[in-house]
Amino acid sequence: MEGVSHASILSIMSEIYPEGFKKFPTTKHFTSWLRLAPNNKISGGKILSNRVPKGSNRLKIGLRQAANAIGNLKDTHLSDFLKRVAYRKGRYSAVSVTARKLAVIIWNMVTKKMQYQPPRQYLFLDQKRKLGLIKRIKKQIDKFDLKPDELGFENNLIINKHN
């Protein structure tokens, strides 16, 4: 897995041995124990606070260091995730969020005995923007009933209006 070194694995195994993962029924319990999950305080349906609680342990520090190292990588699923979050919330929050994601991946790998498989068919933000732009352009072409020669396209270009 990208960003996780032998030292990170050793710190995970020294802090919580493989049987220790079974004490946590879900990933939410595990990330809450690590102090990586937000502590949502809700009263009357209104969110009062959703900050990550203070507190630290060696495992949280190790996961945050691994997440920080992931931020320096290029063209990986987790580094793209960290950069997307960092753009919205800043690097500090992005490292915490990525550390939580790492904890969830590790918990699933250990308890469910699954191999790590990064998503391949994931549409990144720029691809989603392109698809949305194409959809809006097609809608405008339909709205104004434009022909390809009016747009300056060659005759061999076929525009499918009914997608």
Side-chain angles (χ1 to χ4, degrees), residues 62-121:
L63 288 171
R64 285 182 53 82
Q65 288 173 346
N68 197 30
I70 286 170
N72 298 329
L73 299 176
K74 293 184 179 179
D75 297 330
T76 65
H77 163 66
L78 290 172
S79 67
D80 290 336
F81 173 78
L82 186 134
K83 287 171 186 166
R84 283 193 313 270
V85 175
Y87 178 76
R88 287 182 287 131
K89 297 197 172 213
R91 175 81 179 207
Y92 186 79
S93 296
V95 167
S96 289
V97 171
T98 308
R100 184 199 168 280
K101 190 171 190 115
L102 271 176
V104 169
I105 291 169
I106 291 169
W107 186 87
N108 283 322
M109 287 174 64
V110 173
T111 58
K112 298 179 181 176
K113 295 178 176 48
M114 296 170 39
Q115 260 188 329
Y116 172 65
Q117 296 176 348
R120 303 264 187 245
Q121 299 295 325

Side-chain angles (χ1 to χ4, degrees), residues 123 126-136:
L123 288 178
D126 56 340
Q127 292 168 324
K128 287 182 184 179
R129 285 185 183 140
K130 281 182 190 175
L131 292 175
L133 178 64
I134 290 169
K135 188 176 179 181
R136 286 192 303 277

Side-chain angles (χ1 to χ4, degrees), residues 5 20 32 38 56 58 62 68 78 94 103 137 144 153:
S5 65
S32 178
S56 185
R58 285 182 286 256
N68 197 30
L78 290 172
I137 290 172
F144 295 113
F153 294 134

Side-chain angles (χ1 to χ4, degrees), residues 16-72:
I16 179 167
Y17 46 92
E19 290 77 30
F21 282 96
K22 295 176 184 168
K23 292 180 182 177
F24 305 104
T26 64
T27 56
K28 291 180 180 182
H29 288 90
F30 180 58
T31 56
S32 178
W33 177 75
L34 285 174
R35 298 284 198 192
L36 287 172
N39 185 15
N40 293 328
K41 293 181 181 173
I42 301 172
S43 176
K46 183 179 177 185
I47 297 176
L48 301 176
S49 171
N50 59 355
R51 299 275 180 195
V52 175
K54 290 191 185 270
S56 185
N57 56 37
R58 285 182 286 256
L59 188 52
K60 178 182 178 178
I61 293 168
L63 288 171
R64 285 182 53 82
Q65 288 173 346
N68 197 30
I70 286 170
N72 298 329

